[in-house]
């Protein structure tokens, strides 16, 4: 029996982010360095719909993600770098191999 790709789907995403952010400081470089180490969890999800007609699959998908990545290693201990919500939308068409 051939596969039919028509339908709605829902999914979730979890992960983690880690990085280092360098900054310009007018004062001499502190003992802690001129950077902030950053880390956080990442959460998100997607929802989409596909419609198959013959050998073609047409689809739409929307996704959204959230993270709260922070770093506080500065000479004053107060600077932060944050990355908050992100979202995407996409349309696609696919020709299936027979």
């Amino acid at each position: 029996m051939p596969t039919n790709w028509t339908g709605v789907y829902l999914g979730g995403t979890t992960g983690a982010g880690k990085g280092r952010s360098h900054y310009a400081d007018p004062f001499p470089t502190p003992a802690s360095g001129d950077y902030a180490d950053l880390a956080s969890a990442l959460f998100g999800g997607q929802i989409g719909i596909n419609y198959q007609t013959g050998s073609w699959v047409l689809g739409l998908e929307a996704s959204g993600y959230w993270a709260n990545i922070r770093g506080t290693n500065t000479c004053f201990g107060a600077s932060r770098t944050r990355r908050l919500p992100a979202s995407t939308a996409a349309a696609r068409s696919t020709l299936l191999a027979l």
Side-chain angles (χ1 to χ4, degrees):
M1 176 175 208
T3 301
N4 186 325
W5 292 92
T6 298
V8 176
Y9 60 91
L10 180 68
T13 304
T14 60
K18 184 168 173 55
R20 178 170 280 184
S21 178
H22 291 270
Y23 56 88
D25 192 336
F27 303 105
T29 303
S32 61
D34 60 352
Y35 61 87
D37 286 323
L38 313 167
S40 176
L42 168 80
F43 303 97
Q46 59 272 354
I47 186 168
I49 186 167
N50 288 326
Y51 176 73
Q52 182 173 349
T53 177
S55 295
W56 287 92
V57 178
L58 308 173
L60 297 172
E61 179 179 286
S63 60
Y65 304 95
W66 182 88
N68 188 19
I69 300 175
R70 297 190 219 191
T72 56
N73 184 20
T74 70
C75 58
F76 300 109
S79 261
R80 295 189 301 189
T81 299
R82 300 179 98 181
R83 301 288 183 255
L84 296 173
S87 60
T88 63
R92 77 175 146 269
S93 64
T94 304
L95 179 59
L96 300 173
L98 300 177

